[in-house]
Amino acid sequence: MSRFLLRRALWFVVTTWAVITIAFFVLRAAPGGPFSGERKLHPSVEAALRAQYHLDWPLWKQYLHTLGPLNLDERGLFGDASDVFGGLLALDFGPSMQHRDVSVNDALAQSLPISITLGSLALGIALVLGLGAALLSAQFPGSRFDRLVRLAAAAGLVLPNFVIASLLVLVFAFWIPIAPVAGWGAPRHVLLPALALALPFAAYIARLARAGLLETLSKDYIRTARAKGASESAILWRHALRGALTPVVSYLGPAAAGVLTGSLVIERIFAIPGAGTHFVASALNRDYTMAMGVTVVYAVMVFGFNTAVDVAYTLLDPRLDLEREA
Amino acid sequence: MSAVPEQRRSWFADADFELALVQLERERPQSLWRAARERLRRRASVRWSLRFLIGLCLLSFLAPLLPLPSPAAINLANATLPPQLPWPAPGALDFEPQYWELGPLDAQMVSLRTSLFGKWRTGHWLGTDALGRDVLARVVWGSRTSLLVALCAALTSLVIGASWGALAGLSGGRVDNVLMRIVDVLFAVPTIFLVIFLLSVLDAPGAGEARLSREQIFFLVVGAVSWLSMARVVRGQVLELERSAFVEAARAAGASTPWILTRHILPNVLGLVVVNLTLTLPSVILYEAFLSFLGLGVEPPRVSWGLLAAEGAEALNPLESYAWLVLAPGCAMAATLLALSTLGDGLRDALSVTERHER
Amino acid sequence: MNAPLCEVRELEVRFAARRRALFEPRRWLQAVRGVNLRIERGAVLGLVGESGCGKSTLARAVVGLQRPSSGSILIDGVERASARGKQLRELRRRVGIVFQDPYASLDPRQPIREAVLEPLSINGFAKPRTRRLRVLAAFEAVGLAANLYHRYPHELSGGQRQRVAIARALVLEPELLVCDEPTSALDLSVRAQIVNLLADLRQRFGMALLFISHDLAVVRKLVDEVAVMYAGRVVEQAPRDALFDAPQHPYTRALLSAIVTPHEGERRERIVLAGEPPSPLDPPSGCAFHPRCPARADVPGERCASELPMLSALDARRLRACHLDPTL
Ligand SMILES: Nc1ncnc2c1ncn2[C@@H]1O[C@H](COP(=O)(O)OP(=O)(O)OP(=O)(O)O)[C@@H](O)[C@H]1O
Ligand SMILES: [Mg+2]
């Protein structure tokens, strides 16, 4: 296990470095810059701004400065040494180039908790809904409920989440007005967006778990247990659930990544001030520092979640040897 | 010292089997592919999906020929008309060809349409949007983008993905390692972020004459990310086949690599590729919708389902829902994806010959 | 002229074992460690031994699917590794193989007629029509009904599939047929049929067999001579009756004690081996069997643990690799 984690850590370093490097160079290679957008600035003002954000440095120096952990500007080791560390490796994302008096760290500190709340809530809802539906429908396969679950799952898989979101808004904000259309702050604000984000994943989880349950239920040891007189629900809960959980857990990795990307859309529909809003905007506005910060944070979250899922997977299924897998 | 083959007496009296062979060859055995087609045909859901998809392809290809209103024709007097049933107006005689830049073939079709139907156009059967543009026409024209994206992804999956995976699986060793590490890294890098970067960045204004159009970039990028899973799946299967006893048996009899490739690997991988393709297409169509929603897909006035649904979702406001604006493209997309996944399921079942008839 | 049909000389096969850490030195998994065997024309040599002792690896080397790390394999005096072109093709024709699992050894997308036809087409044998006749002839030889001609593997039973695999190996008229546990994936009742079939074919065509099996009862029925392998080496080799009646190596004794002998009354006391089969990554020093050997105490000193016993002649036809006093 520790060897697996070590290997993962190595991979993590490589991947993150790749993400940073690709993001850095793609952004710089792009035409335009953070100050070329909006109104035309006076050349001297623009030059001053460029100097302030070190865009007048050679590219390699900008890259090293971005990467860290040593601060290369006048406050760094080679200047007055008031701020020796900086850059990504020092977890300092620098000042935003669009919102000139906000640091990227502050912006993320404000928006990330919102995104994470929304995302984890959505994953939780997806798990509860998906597993619940699967359990019920596997208990009565072929029943009307089972067919309903399968239909809903099929629908959830083929609808893009913004359509689902719109439908939810139509139903719960217009036809049966019980939830607000947009905003953030009160608990009732989170209901619709989390549900909209969760439903496609709930559908997939329901499908996976239902298939897993039905398969385990047809296995020999279940038949034996049944023959020995174990009650149906005991069989379902004690034996079959475990078999159904394994594929679901391994799906949680991709699901988390999907929730993150999905939140870009959902945050926009429901006007939620999460980190997703920064993402597209910063890339479009060439807000180099902000774009880098959001990208790195998202990549790290996806990676971390995937690793956690793999670990959980072995705990659930001890036959699996991560060291051999890795 | 080695024996001269011509002079050995054969073990087998081949000539005795002339009659039996003639009889057997008169039978027309059913090939596996044909059997799979039969199985596929027997499923009503698959038949309907196939019909739907073919109809959709025709509709979207022939969109310029149909007597629909222009998808870009703005008419503020008719803004946000809801769809009404039964359709009140079968049509009107105020068609004005208003499109974005069309390709030569589409332009031809439009002129053919004007000579066929003149100024007649269908009514606003599915309502109109905030600028009075006809929703039905926009959905039909929007299907072109979605299908084109799907086609593009299918091609890259097939051409790049399948050959990449096959190459990795066949060569093994270091080549395999390098090829698959590349795929791993691309997988691990959250591609959506890369896509957003690439799109927003490559598309910047003022990049000179040679710059690709937004559409071209978009297709390139979607294609670039859609082949990864195909590469993995094909490699896995090829590796498994390479190690299988029947390939070993052929090797022992002296089969060359091209022989094994064409006789054993290709037929066994083909089904998987087809099934995987039907799984890739829906995800790519969803992806297009997602990017269009974020404003990174096709550019207005062109349309795609994602763009339409995004417009519809944005038109939702606390006072008025304009449900049809989001429902129409949403349903079109849902029906298409449902048909594709039904077809995929059907194909998977139909193509899995092996364990079917066993107890 | 006097070269045996197949001769295995000092064969060693090793695989690069996966490194567990980045800077660990490369380790080798040695599956076959210096095996010498001869198979005469028309003879049947049985090869027995525990799972993982290297039987399949040896078989694969004999048919050319596995390159020897050192040592050589000679078919009728021609070395496999250096044969090229026409000579190589002729070598391949002369040595056929039947695998263990008939479910895996036939391509699910290939009708069985194609499977049997394939070796003929690969080698450009005769005209296409003659090839198809040959397929039917081979069907008949292995007892497959002609009306199965157009079938696919999934439509056949395990026994029928194994017959197809045998037919596929037979069409090129091999002089040596390597059978790697051809019966162990089959039902008990079918097993006997396949063994009988192999015995018949051998009678009819006079080919030699290298017959690999766990199943000593089957081996006893079919073979002339038996070689016993342990951890990549041959530890005992003797004519069938000599081996079954009076096994000389403690490992052979243990193996034989596990089967019920057909002769009533002379049932041996069952010897249960302690411990696990050795890991091919680092086998025990000296005699690889010594940690589990019940007769180890009978050898004075620590010889078993330090000195590798050579495979040497006990009498005219028996070979054994053991430090035990032969008179015991
Ligand atoms: N291609 C390979 N790469 C690495 N190791 C291998 C390979 N083929 C075989 N081995 C190893 O070589 C050893 C001998 O394997 P082999 O298949 O020859 O055993 P066997 O005697 O046929 O066993 P069984 O009775 O189970 O078939 C085993 O430890 C196996 O893991
Ligand atoms: Mg074996």
Side-chain angles (χ1 to χ4, degrees):
Chain A
M1 183 58 101
S2 61
R3 192 168 284 138
F4 163 78
L5 287 178
L6 206 73
R7 210 177 245 274
R8 261 308 163 95
L10 211 72
W11 240 151
F12 170 72
V13 172
V14 171
T15 321
T16 318
W17 172 79
V19 171
I20 292 172
T21 308
I22 293 174
F24 180 88
F25 285 104
V26 166
L27 265 179
R28 305 291 151 136
F35 315 117
S36 61
E38 1 149 18
R39 27 201 173 87
K40 201 83 195 117
L41 294 170
H42 190 273
S44 64
V45 177
E46 188 177 338
L49 276 173
R50 290 179 64 82
Q52 187 191 335
Y53 293 105
H54 310 308
L55 297 177
D56 51 347
W57 286 1
L59 212 54
W60 62 267
K61 201 173 168 193
Q62 289 186 41
Y63 178 64
L64 288 185
H65 185 67
T66 306
L67 207 56
L70 284 184
N71 198 347
L72 298 184
D73 66 16
E74 57 284 349
R75 293 169 299 123
L77 195 58
F78 309 111
D80 65 6
S82 62
D83 224 344
V84 175
F85 295 107
L88 297 179
L89 283 180
L91 296 183
D92 176 7
F93 297 108
S96 161
M97 295 185 184
Q98 272 303 310
H99 315 280
R100 306 237 166 95
D101 30 62
V102 185
S103 81
V104 175
N105 288 44
D106 287 344
L108 286 178
Q110 233 170 50
S111 57
L112 212 53
I114 299 179
S115 290
I116 290 180
T117 312
L118 180 64
S120 32
L121 208 63
L123 266 187
I125 294 178
L127 267 177
V128 170
L129 270 184
L131 283 179
L135 272 171
L136 282 177
S137 81
Q139 201 148 27
F140 312 104
S143 68
R144 200 169 293 166
F145 180 78
D146 181 33
R147 266 180 295 171
L148 189 72
V149 164
R150 279 160 64 191
L151 192 74
L157 285 179
V158 298
L159 284 171
N161 54 6
F162 52 87
V163 172
I164 294 182
S166 311
L167 291 179
L168 285 177
V169 169
L170 279 179
V171 174
F172 293 111
F174 287 107
W175 298 337
I176 324 167
I178 52 172
V181 177
W184 188 260
R188 69 207 166 94
H189 277 128
V190 83
L191 183 68
L192 285 189
L195 204 59
L197 198 49
L199 281 179
F201 302 100
Y204 201 82
I205 288 174
R207 242 166 93 134
L208 274 181
R210 182 181 173 278
L213 278 174
L214 287 182
E215 198 194 312
T216 11
L217 282 177
S218 68
K219 289 255 169 68
D220 283 343
Y221 66 95
I222 299 279
R223 286 208 208 112
T224 322
R226 202 170 271 158
K228 280 185 185 159
S231 77
E232 274 309 298
S233 62
I235 286 172
L236 202 64
W237 288 98
R238 206 164 305 149
H239 301 280
L241 194 58
R242 209 187 158 93
L245 230 46
T246 347
V248 171
V249 167
S250 65
Y251 171 66
L252 282 183
V259 163
L260 276 184
T261 38
S263 67
L264 298 188
V265 167
I266 297 297
E267 285 177 10
R268 186 149 149 182
I269 291 184
F270 292 94
I272 297 169
T277 36
H278 290 308
F279 192 83
V280 184
S282 63
L284 286 175
N285 297 332
R286 308 285 183 280
D287 188 344
Y288 294 156
T289 40
M290 178 72 87
M292 184 62 85
V294 187
T295 311
V296 169
V297 164
Y298 272 42
V300 167
M301 286 203 296
V302 169
F303 199 96
F305 203 83
N306 270 322
T307 307
V309 162
D310 283 346
V311 171
Y313 199 58
T314 31
L315 295 185
L316 208 66
D317 188 355
R319 278 168 308 170
L320 218 89
D321 186 349
L322 283 178
E323 282 167 35
R324 222 174 303 139
E325 286 293 293
Chain B
M1 194 72 32
S2 61
V4 188
E6 288 79 24
Q7 288 172 355
R8 269 189 13 234
R9 267 204 32 226
S10 173
W11 291 358
F12 302 101
D14 299 334
D16 294 356
F17 296 93
E18 285 282 359
L19 201 66
L21 185 64
V22 169
Q23 265 175 9
L24 284 170
E25 298 207 322
R26 216 174 286 144
E27 295 174 21
R28 269 290 104 217
Q30 208 185 26
S31 84
L32 278 188
W33 298 111
R34 191 149 354 123
R37 217 167 62 200
E38 287 294 304
R39 271 201 293 273
L40 209 54
R41 275 223 191 106
R42 273 203 297 273
R43 276 206 189 181
S45 61
V46 169
R47 280 201 309 270
W48 280 109
S49 303
L50 212 56
R51 274 176 213 158
F52 175 82
L53 290 173
I54 291 173
L56 182 71
C57 288
L58 278 178
L59 203 67
S60 82
F61 179 70
L62 296 179
L65 260 186
L66 305 175
L68 294 167
S70 294
I74 295 173
N75 178 359
L76 291 177
N78 278 345
T80 56
L81 290 181
Q84 284 167 349
L85 283 176
W87 290 326
L93 281 174
D94 61 354
F95 174 74
E96 285 296 336
Q98 281 182 36
Y99 298 93
W100 44 88
E101 267 174 71
L102 294 179
L105 182 63
D106 289 344
Q108 287 274 310
M109 284 203 268
V110 168
S111 62
L112 185 60
R113 174 230 192 273
T114 6
S115 56
L116 274 180
F117 299 103
K119 283 198 156 315
W120 187 75
R121 60 151 180 88
T122 54
H124 298 304
W125 293 343
L126 285 186
T128 58
D129 69 2
L131 296 178
R133 294 174 294 197
D134 182 62
V135 171
L136 177 63
R138 287 169 76 71
V139 168
V140 171
W141 279 80
S143 69
R144 302 184 121 208
T145 311
S146 297
L147 293 185
L148 215 57
V149 168
L151 184 74
C152 178
L155 282 180
T156 40
S157 278
L158 275 180
V159 176
I160 303 182
S163 37
W164 190 284
L167 187 66
L170 283 176
S171 32
R174 190 154 299 163
V175 178
D176 178 30
N177 234 326
V178 170
L179 291 182
M180 287 337 274
R181 280 299 94 82
I182 292 175
V183 171
D184 281 349
V185 167
L186 287 181
F187 245 123
V189 175
T191 39
I192 182 69
F193 305 137
L194 206 61
V195 167
I196 290 177
F197 271 139
L198 283 179
L199 277 173
S200 58
V201 151
L202 291 176
D203 182 45
E209 276 301 297
R211 109 172 218 263
L212 296 168
S213 78
R214 176 80 171 254
E215 265 76 36
Q216 285 165 324
I217 297 169
F218 179 67
F219 287 134
L220 271 182
V221 166
V222 171
V225 299
S226 58
W227 59 273
L228 294 173
S229 78
M230 182 67 96
R232 274 196 173 170
V233 168
V234 168
R235 169 184 176 266
Q237 180 83 354
V238 167
L239 270 187
E240 201 184 312
L241 290 170
E242 270 281 297
R243 288 196 210 108
S244 71
F246 58 85
V247 166
E248 296 243 286
R251 279 253 148 80
S256 62
T257 301
W259 177 286
I260 285 174
L261 203 61
T262 50
R263 307 289 164 121
H264 294 292
I265 302 216
L266 217 57
N268 278 291
V269 168
L270 209 59
L272 192 78
V273 167
V274 171
V275 170
N276 196 46
L277 211 55
T278 57
L279 294 179
T280 305
L281 295 188
S283 66
V284 167
I285 292 179
L286 282 176
Y287 208 56
E288 183 275 328
F290 168 73
L291 291 178
S292 291
F293 181 87
L294 293 180
L296 298 167
V298 296
E299 261 169 324
R302 289 167 195 261
V303 283
S304 80
W305 286 342
L307 204 64
L308 290 175
E311 285 174 7
E314 238 133 66
L316 286 177
N317 64 59
L319 300 176
E320 184 61 70
S321 73
Y322 305 128
W324 65 95
L325 289 184
V326 65
L327 284 181
C331 289
M333 193 179 305
T336 309
L337 299 189
L338 200 62
L340 274 172
S341 70
T342 310
L343 186 65
D345 284 350
L347 276 173
R348 193 183 46 223
D349 291 349
L351 288 175
S352 79
V353 272
T354 36
E355 311 309 322
R356 182 133 278 240
H357 305 281
E358 272 158 28
R359 303 145 293 271
Chain C
M1 255 312 131
N2 310 339
L5 174 60
C6 171
E7 188 173 3
V8 176
R9 277 195 198 152
E10 287 302 326
L11 180 73
E12 304 214 347
V13 179
R14 44 175 186 272
F15 302 104
R18 244 186 136 144
R19 271 177 262 205
R20 283 173 308 180
L22 201 55
F23 300 106
E24 198 185 43
R26 163 152 284 186
R27 300 193 311 159
W28 295 98
L29 186 157
Q30 188 144 10
V32 179
R33 340 179 140 238
V35 167
N36 289 292
L37 286 175
R38 288 162 71 98
I39 304 172
E40 302 294 341
R41 262 160 244 281
V44 181
L45 176 66
L47 191 61
V48 299
E50 268 168 320
S51 181
C53 70
K55 306 180 300 288
S56 296
T57 308
L58 176 69
R60 288 163 46 82
V62 169
V63 294
L65 287 170
Q66 176 70 56
R67 187 185 298 278
S69 308
S70 73
S72 56
I73 286 156
L74 292 94
I75 307 292
D76 204 9
V78 180
E79 196 184 334
R80 251 218 116 104
S82 56
R84 292 282 175 277
K86 219 175 152 183
Q87 209 175 23
L88 180 62
R89 196 152 347 127
E90 180 61 12
L91 276 190
R92 288 200 182 113
R93 185 195 67 70
R94 299 172 78 166
V95 185
I97 183 162
V98 175
F99 291 101
Q100 168 174 7
D101 184 358
Y103 290 84
S105 67
L106 297 176
D107 185 342
R109 301 214 148 258
Q110 199 179 35
I112 58 173
R113 67 181 137 88
E114 293 291 331
V116 179
L117 188 71
E118 194 172 7
L120 297 170
S121 324
I122 290 171
N123 289 289
F125 168 89
K127 291 199 214 61
R129 180 156 181 88
T130 322
R131 289 181 207 161
R132 278 175 280 153
L133 289 173
R134 170 66 53 92
V135 170
L136 277 180
F139 268 40
E140 188 257 3
V142 297
L144 277 173
N147 61 13
L148 299 177
Y149 188 72
H150 292 301
R151 297 286 174 83
Y152 282 88
H154 68 262
E155 298 168 305
L156 305 187
S157 70
Q160 284 171 324
R161 289 188 203 206
Q162 197 59 298
R163 285 173 198 266
V164 175
I166 294 172
R168 174 175 62 188
L170 278 187
V171 282
L172 289 175
E173 305 178 3
E175 285 152 51
L176 171 63
L177 187 61
V178 178
C179 304
D180 188 1
E181 310 196 29
T183 57
S184 46
L186 301 175
D187 287 348
L188 222 55
S189 57
V190 185
R191 232 175 249 193
Q193 292 173 12
I194 295 293
V195 172
N196 288 339
L197 172 67
L198 285 170
D200 286 350
L201 292 172
R202 186 213 163 192
Q203 281 283 312
R204 184 165 159 194
F205 302 127
M207 63 194 168
L209 293 180
L210 172 58
F211 188 88
I212 298 173
S213 184
H214 290 305
D215 188 343
L216 289 166
V218 169
V219 170
R220 182 163 205 172
K221 214 166 176 181
L222 199 63
V223 309
D224 306 325
E225 195 173 7
V226 187
V228 181
M229 267 182 96
Y230 189 81
R233 294 180 205 279
V234 173
V235 294
E236 181 169 4
Q237 187 174 352
R240 176 188 61 184
D241 292 334
L243 187 115
F244 277 90
D245 293 343
Q248 295 299 309
H249 195 283
Y251 176 62
T252 317
R253 285 182 199 151
L255 274 185
L256 288 183
S257 75
I259 60 166
V260 184
T261 48
H263 314 287
E264 214 50 53
E266 60 164 311
R267 181 164 302 184
R268 296 184 190 92
E269 192 183 330
R270 174 133 196 206
I271 308 167
V272 181
L273 285 180
E276 295 282 303
S279 151
L281 271 172
D282 50 338
S285 61
C287 172
F289 187 54
H290 82 262
R292 302 165 78 193
C293 184
R296 188 181 161 195
D298 300 338
V299 179
E302 280 301 298
R303 223 175 136 207
C304 290
S306 57
E307 190 188 326
L308 178 69
M310 299 311 292
L311 188 65
S312 51
L314 279 181
D315 55 44
R317 302 208 49 202
R318 291 190 206 206
L319 299 168
R320 185 186 76 159
C322 184
H323 294 308
L324 268 184
D325 189 345
T327 53
L328 268 174

